[in-house]
Structure formats: structure tokens, C-alpha cells
Amino acid sequence: MANRIKGITLEISGGPATNPTIYNSHTDEYMQIQGEVKEGDRIIITTKTGNKTVTLEREGVTTNIRYNPTTFIPIRIK
């Protein structure tokens, strides 16, 4: 039976940053978070099958920043 990638969870913290981008050099695909990431923000990206989410944790509040259910590209922080 072949191994199958079911997805990952990636946590990004830090800041400040503007429009941070995650780039896959093997496929030329990218995921961009459009907007300002502030110092202390935490972004959690989950690509697991059946549970694809992108959330922003800022000052103790968690917000879903994925606005399009069919794609992760791009993602806007409101």
C-alpha cells in the first residue's frame, strides 16, 4: 500500500509582516496571506483532508481567515 499524504498543520508566529507567502518549490504553488500580520499574531494552517482551515489568533481571539472554501490561495486578514 502506498503512503499517502493526508495533510499538515503549520503554525506561523511572529510579525510584523506584510503579505507573507508560503511557497512550494516542487509544485510552484503558493499560499499567500494578504494583509498585515502583527507582532504576537499566530496563524495556523491545516491542510488535512476534510479539515482544511486557516485561523488567525490575535490578542486572545481566534478568527477563521479562510474566505473561499475551494482554495487556500489567497487568504485575506480583515
Side-chain angles (χ1 to χ4, degrees):
M1 182 180 279
N3 289 334
R4 300 177 103 189
I5 297 175
K6 301 204 186 258
I8 63 164
T9 297
L10 176 65
E11 181 179 316
I12 303 166
S13 59
T18 302
N19 301 328
T21 303
I22 301 166
Y23 178 71
N24 183 335
S25 62
H26 295 287
T27 64
D28 265 350
E29 294 174 303
Y30 69 93
M31 184 182 308
Q32 183 177 56
I33 298 171
Q34 296 178 340
E36 299 293 323
V37 178
K38 298 179 180 179
E39 187 172 342
D41 283 357
R42 195 167 86 142
I43 296 170
I44 300 149
I45 301 166
T46 302
T47 64
K48 294 178 182 173
T49 303
N51 184 32
K52 295 183 179 186
T53 60
V54 181
T55 57
L56 167 68
E57 292 182 7
R58 177 179 286 163
E59 299 175 355
V61 177
T62 301
T63 306
N64 182 352
I65 59 173
R66 182 172 166 223
Y67 73 97
N68 185 338
T70 61
T71 183
F72 277 115
I73 305 168
I75 302 159
R76 296 183 192 276
I77 296 176
K78 295 180 180 181

